[in-house]
Amino acid sequence: MDIGLSCRLGDQDAIDVGYVRALAETMEAVGFASMWVPEHIVFFSQYKSKYPYSEDGTPPFGADIGLFDSLLVFAAAAQVTTKLRFATSVMVLPERPALLTAKEVMTLDHLTKGRYQLGAGSGWSQEEYEALGTSFEKRGKRFDEYILAIKAAWTQDNASFHGEFVNFDNVVLLPKPYTPGGPPFIIGGDSDPAMRRAATIGDGWYSWWKGYEIEPHIEKFRAVMEKHNRSFDGYHLKIGSPHRGEPRKP
Amino acid sequence: MIKKVETVKKLGAEEFVIAVPVEPKTMERDLRFWAEAAGIKG
């Protein structure tokens, strides 16, 4: 089993490209398999939205957090590594334009020579959606459409897609991704809709182990996979977890 | 940490992603520490 590391870059001292490159090089040298970088496009000093991974719904960060765009971080990190994989943990996909994202991720797929996996989720911050001019209410349906539309643009010569949120005909997006079919969609989120999405149109699932027992949670997901006749063969099952409990060496 | 790693391994995951403190000033030392804690054979 591979061990990946979630990194926050763009905050305090971690803001120059030299550090990004040194971090990636060292991660690869000591044996980490992948670098994961979270995504929020903007933050707020106060939220009405409930953060799903804390007991009182308060996010564990303030508005003063710095965070680089993950795709650009990976473009820099890929230049000094050869094996380290990259994943966004997770891109709030429905906030972004679908075809622009298809283009950016296709480009990163080439720059990394197939080492990027598209961690994607529907997010939780209504404030962020509204600031970006996108409806929060139908984010799940938008998310489903985006995945299918992006895959269409990556795989069809003259791509067409018709949905409630995305509509295009005879779109040409070249070059096609370095990875045949495009980088895998690793669906993040522990809600029932996230599990359903991961089991139906996702290529993998990223569960965040915090505040619940992991074994029954994974069993629940296995049942969802079975319900949708989805096999785990070739499927990307990822589990992430925060960890603070280890005594540090001096 | 290693208990978490073993638990996730038994569940059949292909990857376990850890979110741990890594400070820029002690980055290399921190990475080696957490790699060892997670059982990575470097």
Side-chain angles (χ1 to χ4, degrees):
Chain A
M1 183 181 72
D2 289 338
I3 303 292
L5 182 70
S6 177
C7 309
R8 210 179 71 202
L9 292 160
D11 196 35
Q12 299 176 10
D13 296 333
I15 58 171
D16 78 296
V17 68
Y19 178 71
V20 171
R21 292 158 69 100
L23 177 69
E25 281 182 304
T26 309
M27 283 178 63
E28 185 170 88
V30 304
F32 283 101
S34 61
M35 170 189 279
W36 294 64
V37 172
E39 173 176 287
H40 280 287
I41 294 173
V42 289
F43 293 90
F44 298 84
S45 55
Q46 290 187 318
Y47 289 92
K48 289 182 181 174
S49 303
K50 299 294 182 190
Y51 179 74
Y53 294 105
S54 68
E55 286 187 12
D56 64 357
T58 304
F61 43 77
D64 58 346
I65 185 174
L67 189 62
F68 280 152
D69 181 281
S70 68
L71 303 183
L72 298 177
V73 165
F74 297 147
Q79 305 312 305
V80 293
T81 54
T82 57
K83 295 182 296 183
L84 192 68
R85 288 185 288 98
F86 307 102
T88 307
S89 58
V90 290
M91 177 187 288
V92 189
L93 183 61
E95 291 180 347
R96 293 170 171 252
L99 286 176
L100 178 60
T101 305
K103 180 97 171 180
E104 291 178 337
V105 172
M106 172 275 290
T107 303
L108 185 63
D109 188 40
H110 279 274
L111 294 179
T112 61
K113 294 191 184 302
R115 289 185 283 146
Y116 178 68
Q117 297 182 328
L118 179 47
S122 60
W124 53 271
S125 169
Q126 183 168 351
E127 292 85 351
E128 188 172 347
Y129 270 87
E130 289 175 352
L132 290 160
T134 307
S135 166
F136 182 73
E137 281 71 26
K138 290 188 173 182
R139 64 194 184 285
K141 191 166 191 303
R142 183 186 293 268
F143 192 5
D144 289 347
E145 281 192 17
Y146 276 26
I147 293 170
L148 299 173
I150 290 170
K151 286 188 174 185
W154 282 345
T155 57
Q156 298 174 17
D157 290 336
N158 293 279
S160 297
F161 185 89
H162 299 285
E164 182 178 347
F165 305 99
V166 191
N167 278 283
F168 53 79
D169 281 301
N170 300 315
V171 158
V172 178
L173 181 69
L174 292 173
K176 292 304 179 197
Y178 181 93
T179 302
F185 278 88
I186 312 297
I187 307 301
D190 294 286
S191 65
D192 289 348
M195 288 188 182
R196 188 270 309 156
R197 184 171 297 115
T200 52
I201 56 176
D203 304 301
W205 181 50
Y206 181 45
S207 176
W208 189 241
W209 178 11
K210 187 174 188 297
Y212 57 82
E213 294 296 320
I214 190 68
E215 289 91 346
H217 195 58
I218 299 300
E219 281 308 306
K220 180 180 176 182
F221 181 64
R222 288 188 185 283
V224 175
M225 289 282 280
E226 190 173 342
K227 177 183 173 185
H228 293 285
N229 296 314
R230 192 78 191 270
S231 167
F232 278 94
D233 290 345
Y235 192 80
H236 301 285
L237 178 60
K238 320 271 191 181
I239 297 173
S241 182
H243 188 82
R244 297 286 185 274
E246 214 93 17
R248 310 297 301 281
K249 285 181 179 175
Chain B
M1 170 69 84
I2 199 67
K3 285 183 181 174
K4 281 186 173 178
V5 172
E6 291 303 320
T7 298
V8 171
K9 195 172 182 180
K10 285 178 185 169
L11 290 169
E14 72 169 18
E15 183 165 22
F16 183 40
V17 182
I18 57 174
V20 293
V22 175
E23 300 297 330
K25 289 176 183 169
T26 55
M27 177 264 286
E28 184 167 350
R29 190 186 74 186
D30 292 349
L31 289 178
R32 291 191 185 283
F33 172 76
W34 290 115
E36 185 181 338
I40 292 175
K41 308 286 190 288

